[in-house]
Amino acid sequence: EPMFLPRQSINGKEVVFDVPADYVDDRYKPIYQELQSRFGTDNPERVTVRASKLPNLSQIKQLDRRENFTLFIPRHRKFAASLIKIFMGAKDKEEFFSVATYARDQINPGLWNYAYSVALLHRPDTKHLPVAPLTETFPNKFLAGEVFSRALAESTIVPEDQRLPIEIPRDYTATDLDVEHRVAYFREDLGINLHHWHWHLVYPFDGTVEIVRKDRRGELFYYMHQQIIARYNLERFCNNLARVKKFNNFREAIPEGYFPKLDSLLGSRSWPPRFSGTTIRDVYREADQIEFEILDLERWRDRIYSAIHGGAIQDNNGRTVQLSEGQGIDILGNIIEASILSPNKNLYGDIHNFGHLAFASCHDPDGRNLEPVGVMGDTATAMRDPIFYRWHAFVDEIFQEHKSTLPRYTAEQLTFPGINVAKIEVSTQGRPANQMHTFWQQSIIDMQRGLDFYPRGAVLAKFTHLQHMPYNLKITVENSSGAPKTGTARIFLGPKFDERGFRWNFGDHRVMFIELDKFLVTLKNGTSVIERKSTQSSVTIPFERTFRSLGPSNRPDDGNPQAAGFNFCGCGWPQHMLIPKGMEGNGLQCQLFVMISDYNADKVDLPRQQQKSCTDAASYCGLRDSVYPDKRAMGYPFDRPARDGVDRIADFLTANMAVIDVAVIHNNRTVDQSGVQIQDLQDRFGKPQ
Ligand code: CUO
């Protein structure tokens, strides 16, 4: 079996686990020796697991190995929850690896990988170990199927040192005849999809309460997805597309089709397409044991809206719980997603997850054609589909409805007395001030861990993604309060004009801002100049950590000094997608917003022993084992409508805020990454424009 041995990086070394003979199915016992020698031959480290008391997996084994595991199907969720419980219950690390090794061969690989990754991230004795990025373990969820037949040829015929990367074209799922395809580079970006998969791994909505309950996880569900929509809208403006239309009429045909071209691997089924003009319908798929109607979605939606308008929800015990300014958004996040923390699933249902499922099965809602679910049914693939954004724009609208019931921030609340943001400047080396620059870059990932054929060795794929030149932000702040102060700098980028080229009303404008960064600043009395690099952003993780290839050149033990740092936490927006593509010529006109808020009002009590790892993408991912590091509502100060009298962003600004115009300029050239530092790229583009 291809998934015979789990691999895991431990102390910077990749190891394989030897499977004790008792673990092997009877029919494999005669060839046990051969199997042992065949797997993991590329790896020096082998760890023999202790033969432990084996768990009973008979229930979990009901999920066929060939089926596409998806969290959105409650039956699959239950299997995952039981397996997570087994993995979490192992009394020490050795027993965990042993049980995981045993289970790997027995059950559905997608289910195994999910439960194993969740357990790895949440067990106190393993949470420092890296989770292999899904691009390595399941590359078929990210790359077109044809890549794998080419990889097979490459890896069986060509010796490892002579293999060439398989080039994946930028445009392979559709053509620009479909206008939605203009933003396919965003939707199908490997790093963005990895981030989304990893986020849901860190914040599972099912499993045990101990795993699911995390500080403000419902609010973070809202905020992280709100930012995805804002980012997608900005990306659409760069491509002459209007903002995404929310999917609020569940009976309407969906004009957007999507043909994923992702193929099966490991014998599982591939992802079916959705044709333009499809409608979601009542779902009754006996094999998956799911049954719900569009009417259910509508009832849940209406009940959630009534709760919001009444300012309170009803919990399971009939008690009324206020949707307060502080807690309301978090409660709603758990209700809408829905997580097992939803206070009343009978009443408010499971609208967001079942919406995913309705789209994922609209090509075969009653299962008569035995078709598996579509890409919307998997957190690793959902963001590829245009309907993801229409659905999440609808979901976000519910949260915004709640936000509009909250008291407005007064100018006084927004002010930081004595603090004045005097000047902001963005600089990109060799370019005029206040410009950001983007281009295309080719990078390489190693797929070998996810390929089920031999001989092994590196199997490289070269793909093209957006990239930008690094920039510096310089903020001049005057402190006339008479004493040194600490503040939180909140940096956002938004479009200057709407899709018609008109100026924004603040009410629409505020939800268009994408967070670029958030950091602490110390302000001495008088004038301070704060400098910050784009690579320091609190929303992103570096490219290497998104993909964290453990291929030969990136193994920490090969002396790559950066590699050791990559071994933690893959949650975080990919650095290469920090800013939108912009436009050629004069660029897309944007506004960069800076606010310095009073740290005394922002600070939370962080646990003393603050982990050093995983702290650099806290804005969208939170901190591990900690409360969210900012007391303010997520998205502050844009998280709610403004006080009376604010029509434009200019009216919204208090002295501790400022905006400047920034042009995001795209150069439609592709640069090969191999061995090139991003800083060097500036030379390649010739003279500044
Ligand atoms: Cu992330 Cu709908 O929650 O996919």
Side-chain angles (χ1 to χ4, degrees):
E1 285 287 345
M3 301 296 286
F4 195 72
L5 292 174
R7 286 156 179 256
Q8 178 62 56
S9 175
I10 295 177
N11 300 331
K13 285 210 174 82
E14 208 188 356
V15 303
V16 289
F17 298 103
D18 273 333
V19 178
D22 329 351
Y23 285 18
V24 179
D25 195 89
D26 283 346
R27 54 189 289 251
Y28 295 128
K29 286 212 168 102
I31 53 164
Y32 173 70
Q33 284 304 336
E34 193 205 320
L35 286 174
Q36 282 292 70
S37 60
R38 211 172 115 190
F39 289 89
T41 46
D42 55 322
N43 204 291
E45 289 275 326
R46 299 179 78 95
V47 173
T48 307
V49 296
R50 178 174 83 206
S52 296
K53 202 172 140 259
L54 298 176
N56 179 356
L57 300 173
S58 57
Q59 260 236 313
I60 300 169
K61 276 161 88 171
Q62 286 172 20
L63 185 66
D64 191 274
R65 286 187 64 94
R66 318 278 157 216
E67 253 184 87
N68 279 341
F69 166 75
T70 163
L71 280 176
F72 292 112
I73 298 179
R75 178 170 170 259
H76 295 200
R77 263 187 238 171
K78 290 282 159 282
F79 294 142
S82 326
L83 191 57
I84 289 169
K85 225 171 261 173
I86 292 172
F87 286 168
M88 293 299 289
K91 64 179 185 304
D92 54 29
K93 195 161 71 181
E94 284 66 40
E95 185 177 308
F96 166 53
F97 285 132
S98 170
V99 168
T101 302
Y102 169 68
R104 178 119 177 196
D105 186 38
Q106 311 270 327
I107 58 175
N108 180 290
L111 167 62
W112 183 90
N113 189 66
Y114 175 72
Y116 175 73
S117 306
V118 169
L120 201 67
L121 276 173
H122 291 88
R123 282 184 64 93
D125 51 359
T126 59
K127 63 184 174 192
H128 61 287
L129 297 177
V131 173
L134 208 62
T135 38
E136 288 189 5
T137 46
F138 288 84
N140 60 316
K141 294 190 180 196
F142 300 87
L143 302 170
E146 58 167 278
V147 169
F148 301 106
S149 43
R150 283 158 64 197
L152 174 62
E154 192 77 17
S155 77
T156 40
I157 298 165
V158 186
E160 190 177 358
D161 57 346
Q162 290 166 35
R163 286 179 202 165
L164 292 175
I166 294 151
E167 217 162 303
I168 299 154
R170 197 169 81 215
D171 285 307
Y172 67 90
T173 51
T175 65
D176 283 344
L177 254 188
D178 178 2
V179 292
E180 294 295 322
H181 184 65
R182 290 182 206 162
V183 277
Y185 67 88
F186 178 96
R187 294 196 315 265
E188 292 166 359
D189 183 82
L190 269 65
I192 285 182
N193 280 284
L194 272 177
H195 160 71
H196 186 240
W197 164 74
H198 213 115
W199 190 94
H200 281 281
L201 209 56
V202 179
Y203 294 99
F205 55 79
D206 204 341
T208 62
V209 172
E210 300 76 65
I211 284 180
V212 176
R213 184 173 287 136
K214 294 199 175 79
D215 183 52
R216 296 168 75 181
R217 57 101 48 220
E219 183 179 9
L220 198 52
F221 169 78
Y222 136 75
Y223 182 57
M224 200 283 288
H225 289 88
Q226 186 275 331
Q227 284 287 294
I228 287 177
I229 299 303
R231 287 178 167 274
Y232 189 57
N233 279 331
L234 198 46
E235 212 66 55
R236 293 176 71 85
F237 292 167
C238 298
N239 292 280
N240 287 311
L241 293 168
R243 75 194 89 168
V244 69
K245 193 168 169 280
K246 63 177 185 256
F247 187 82
N248 61 351
N249 178 353
F250 303 166
R251 311 274 170 173
E252 205 173 70
I254 305 162
E256 296 86 0
Y258 186 66
F259 294 73
K261 297 178 182 56
L262 299 173
D263 265 0
S264 61
L265 206 61
L266 309 166
S268 61
R269 300 196 185 112
S270 53
W271 282 264
R274 184 186 61 257
F275 289 83
S276 169
T278 309
T279 309
I280 54 169
R281 284 174 288 166
D282 297 347
V283 178
Y284 177 63
R285 288 167 63 97
E286 207 175 358
D288 296 326
Q289 294 174 21
I290 39 172
E291 184 179 357
F292 66 94
E293 297 178 12
I294 301 307
L295 201 55
D296 290 316
L297 298 180
E298 289 167 340
R299 271 192 287 259
W300 297 335
R301 173 195 63 194
D302 296 346
R303 286 172 189 163
I304 294 168
Y305 270 103
S306 309
I308 289 169
H309 295 144
I313 56 117
Q314 298 292 315
D315 75 7
N316 274 332
N317 304 312
R319 280 183 305 237
T320 300
V321 180
Q322 299 300 317
L323 291 173
S324 64
E325 192 176 349
Q327 308 294 314
I329 189 77
D330 193 48
I331 296 172
L332 273 177
N334 286 317
I335 284 180
I336 292 169
E337 185 178 5
S339 80
I340 53 169
L341 304 181
S342 168
N344 196 340
K345 261 200 174 170
N346 285 332
L347 192 58
Y348 303 115
D350 198 347
I351 189 166
H352 155 265
N353 289 334
F354 275 46
H356 270 269
L357 211 46
F359 296 112
S361 53
C362 65
H363 56 282
D364 194 17
D366 57 11
R368 71 179 65 182
N369 295 309
L370 303 174
E371 281 292 305
V373 294
V375 290
M376 273 292 272
D378 189 325
T379 56
T381 53
M383 287 184 71
R384 308 173 78 85
D385 189 332
I387 198 66
F388 173 93
Y389 303 86
R390 296 200 56 201
W391 182 240
H392 270 279
F394 160 74
V395 167
D396 191 55
E397 186 76 8
I398 312 179
F399 289 119
Q400 297 302 340
E401 189 77 5
H402 162 69
K403 287 287 186 178
S404 71
T405 67
L406 302 180
R408 312 302 194 231
Y409 297 121
T410 63
E412 201 187 354
Q413 282 174 319
L414 294 167
T415 303
F416 188 177
I419 304 300
N420 176 37
V421 176
K423 191 174 180 224
I424 317 169
E425 193 177 79
V426 172
S427 52
T428 302
Q429 204 186 346
R431 299 295 150 115
N434 299 334
Q435 291 186 351
M436 293 174 174
H437 290 265
T438 70
F439 54 94
W440 301 110
Q441 182 177 326
Q442 289 191 315
S443 295
I444 290 171
I445 54 162
D446 187 353
M447 308 179 290
Q448 61 167 313
R449 296 215 266 187
L451 301 178
D452 52 354
F453 41 77
Y454 292 83
R456 280 223 186 234
V459 182
L460 305 176
K462 188 194 261 187
F463 66 104
T464 305
H465 57 86
L466 191 64
Q467 184 57 285
H468 56 273
M469 291 189 187
Y471 58 82
N472 280 317
L473 175 62
K474 202 196 272 184
I475 311 167
T476 310
V477 185
E478 285 157 5
N479 175 2
S480 58
S481 70
K485 297 275 179 194
T486 308
T488 308
R490 300 167 187 273
I491 319 294
F492 291 84
L493 184 76
K496 184 167 184 184
F497 302 105
D498 73 7
E499 56 272 75
R500 303 161 303 171
F502 294 170
R503 282 196 176 270
W504 291 95
N505 287 318
F506 185 79
D508 296 323
H509 203 183
R510 67 172 185 88
V511 294
M512 294 290 159
F513 279 88
I514 62 171
E515 185 174 336
L516 291 187
D517 206 350
K518 179 160 66 178
F519 51 93
L520 280 190
V521 291
T522 350
L523 306 166
K524 59 178 192 284
N525 202 30
T527 304
S528 306
V529 178
I530 299 154
E531 296 207 49
R532 182 86 170 175
K533 292 188 176 77
S534 54
T535 47
Q536 293 174 294
S537 165
S538 66
V539 303
T540 60
I541 54 174
F543 182 87
E544 296 78 3
R545 209 167 78 206
T546 295
F547 296 97
R548 207 178 43 231
S549 166
L550 288 167
S553 61
N554 255 342
R555 284 210 183 111
D557 45 338
D558 287 351
N560 179 344
Q562 287 161 307
F566 306 155
N567 280 353
F568 299 96
C569 272
C571 186
W573 194 255
Q575 176 67 27
H576 65 268
M577 297 303 281
L578 175 64
I579 58 167
K581 185 179 125 194
M583 284 176 147
E584 291 183 68
N586 292 331
L588 181 79
Q589 298 309 303
C590 287
Q591 285 179 309
L592 186 93
F593 168 91
V594 172
M595 174 189 200
I596 312 271
S597 60
D598 184 352
Y599 180 64
N600 279 327
D602 303 337
K603 73 163 179 271
V604 290
D605 291 327
L606 290 171
R608 262 249 206 90
Q609 270 230 308
Q610 185 55 58
Q611 290 244 4
K612 286 278 185 326
S613 61
C614 299
T615 57
D616 62 347
S619 288
Y620 294 170
C621 294
L623 293 178
R624 180 181 278 191
D625 302 322
S626 169
V627 294
Y628 192 77
D630 180 6
K631 196 193 273 173
R632 304 283 188 174
M634 295 180 196
Y636 179 78
F638 292 126
D639 71 291
R640 60 186 74 176
R643 61 194 185 271
D644 283 349
V646 171
D647 295 327
R648 309 276 190 208
I649 188 154
D651 309 324
F652 181 67
L653 306 178
T654 48
N656 54 324
M657 303 180 201
V659 289
I660 52 161
D661 288 354
V662 168
V664 184
I665 299 168
H666 180 63
N667 185 330
N668 194 15
R669 286 169 71 176
T670 306
V671 172
D672 193 317
Q673 167 247 20
S674 324
V676 179
Q677 290 296 307
I678 295 178
Q679 278 79 0
D680 300 338
L681 298 174
Q682 288 156 344
D683 305 332
R684 293 203 182 189
F685 286 118
K687 297 252 174 293
Q689 289 158 350

